[in-house]
């Protein structure tokens, strides 16, 4: 993985080590996209020394994934049903009424 930073004033794209925090005009790239990076015509690309080999999954990665799946499978805590608003009702702050749908993880097939 690498971080791409655009320096618009210098018309330069800098590809360097993965950033530790987000900044404007920066994008994290996988090894494939970092290796194929091109810049607009007239721009310079500065490639800092970056190890683009993908790290092997660790046991911590597997445990984090299992914890996320377990958390997503837990039923939401029981709550008293809220009164249903009338079609013309709006909350006091003027915000729109939103539904409380439960989100969950999905597995996508390999293509």
């Amino acid at each position: 993985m690498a971080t791409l930073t655009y320096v618009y004033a210098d018309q330069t794209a800098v590809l360097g080590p993965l950033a530790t925090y987000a900044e404007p005009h920066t994008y994290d790239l996988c090894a494939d996209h970092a290796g194929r990076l091109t810049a607009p015509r007239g721009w310079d690309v500065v490639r800092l020394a970056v190890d683009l080999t993908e790290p092997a999954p660790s046991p911590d990665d597997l445990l984090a994934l299992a914890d996320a799946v377990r958390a997503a499978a837990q039923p939401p805590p029981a709550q008293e049903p809220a009164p249903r608003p009338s079609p013309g009702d709006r909350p006091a702050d003027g915000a729109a009424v939103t539904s409380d749908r439960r989100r969950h993880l999905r597995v996508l097939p390999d293509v």
Side-chain angles (χ1 to χ4, degrees):
M1 303 259 315
T3 296
L4 169 66
T5 305
Y6 286 113
V7 183
Y8 291 96
D10 298 332
Q11 291 187 334
T12 304
V14 180
L15 187 67
L18 195 60
T20 56
Y21 57 93
E23 286 195 30
H25 312 294
T26 62
Y27 306 91
D28 293 337
L29 303 177
C30 68
D32 290 339
H33 285 100
R36 296 189 318 231
L37 175 74
T38 60
R41 190 171 288 148
W43 281 53
D44 293 322
V45 177
V46 176
R47 294 178 188 271
L48 303 176
V50 177
D51 181 14
L52 294 179
T53 57
E54 292 290 328
S58 72
D60 290 340
D61 295 335
L62 184 57
L63 289 173
L65 179 59
D67 289 341
V69 170
R70 276 190 214 104
Q74 293 294 322
Q79 297 177 355
E80 292 185 26
R84 296 186 63 97
S86 303
D89 287 349
R90 284 183 100 42
D93 63 0
V97 177
T98 59
S99 67
D100 186 24
R101 291 183 47 196
R102 183 171 171 238
R103 301 188 189 280
H104 53 86
L105 298 175
R106 295 183 184 182
V107 176
L108 300 177
D110 287 336
V111 179

